[in-house]
Amino acid sequence: MGIRHSVLSLLALLIAAPAAAACRDDTVMLRGDWGGARFRVAVADDAAERARGLMFVEEMAPSTGMLFVYEREQPTAFWMKNTLIPLDMIFADAEGRVVSVHSDAVPHDETPIPSGGAVQYVLEINGGLAARMGIVSGSEMQHPAINGAAWPCD
């Protein structure tokens, strides 16, 4: 039972959560052929917040993350300078469609991680979680900041 059971229970909760949750500023929803997920997020929507990101964060709960919001769609790149934990980066276009997913970014690595195209939103979550859940390109993201979303808020 132990850790494996706990992880599977948590994943089941995260996948089932989107059906019951309302659109909120502190929540990002994702859906796709793989199912769905909900993450409690801090929003980085100005230059200073985006520059700091998740630097110096020592641990993060499995169902949390940070949503980076840009004023317009553009190619971007992230790095892991001063970031202490491995992260997955989910890059989404202006409609909230996932363009690319970078898994398990290495802490402290200063190598740029490109978005793989023009994006307006980037969701950072714990490293390895996107692959375990099946989050892939083409998935849809929901959040009140996404105007003209493929999956709009009700």
Side-chain angles (χ1 to χ4, degrees):
M1 206 165 214
I3 293 173
R4 182 168 162 44
H5 178 72
S6 296
V7 169
L8 292 175
S9 295
L10 175 61
L11 288 176
L13 174 65
L14 291 173
I15 290 169
C23 213
R24 299 170 33 144
D25 288 337
D26 66 350
T27 303
V28 168
M29 312 282 268
L30 285 162
R31 71 178 181 186
D33 293 342
W34 51 271
R38 176 180 63 184
F39 294 93
R40 177 83 57 169
V41 295
V43 176
D45 58 3
D46 66 37
E49 290 170 338
R50 288 190 299 264
R52 179 160 174 94
L54 291 172
M55 288 182 181
F56 309 110
V57 172
E58 294 180 3
E59 63 182 309
M60 193 165 62
S63 61
T64 61
M66 178 170 275
L67 179 65
F68 294 77
V69 177
Y70 292 90
E71 290 79 21
R72 66 187 169 287
E73 204 174 48
Q74 62 193 18
T76 191
F78 279 52
W79 65 353
M80 296 290 287
K81 181 178 182 178
N82 298 321
T83 305
L84 308 177
I85 57 175
L87 296 172
D88 288 349
M89 297 172 192
I90 302 168
F91 297 94
D93 67 14
E95 294 180 339
R97 283 195 184 92
V98 175
V99 171
S100 66
V101 178
H102 180 89
S103 296
D104 286 314
V106 178
H108 305 290
D109 188 356
E110 295 185 27
T111 305
I113 299 167
S115 58
V119 300
Q120 192 166 351
Y121 309 97
V122 182
L123 175 63
E124 288 185 339
I125 60 175
N126 280 301
L129 189 54
R132 285 193 301 275
M133 296 183 81
I135 301 169
V136 295
S137 296
S139 298
E140 295 175 336
M141 186 181 293
Q142 182 187 67
H143 185 270
I146 303 173
N147 298 317
W151 183 21
C153 291
D154 295 328

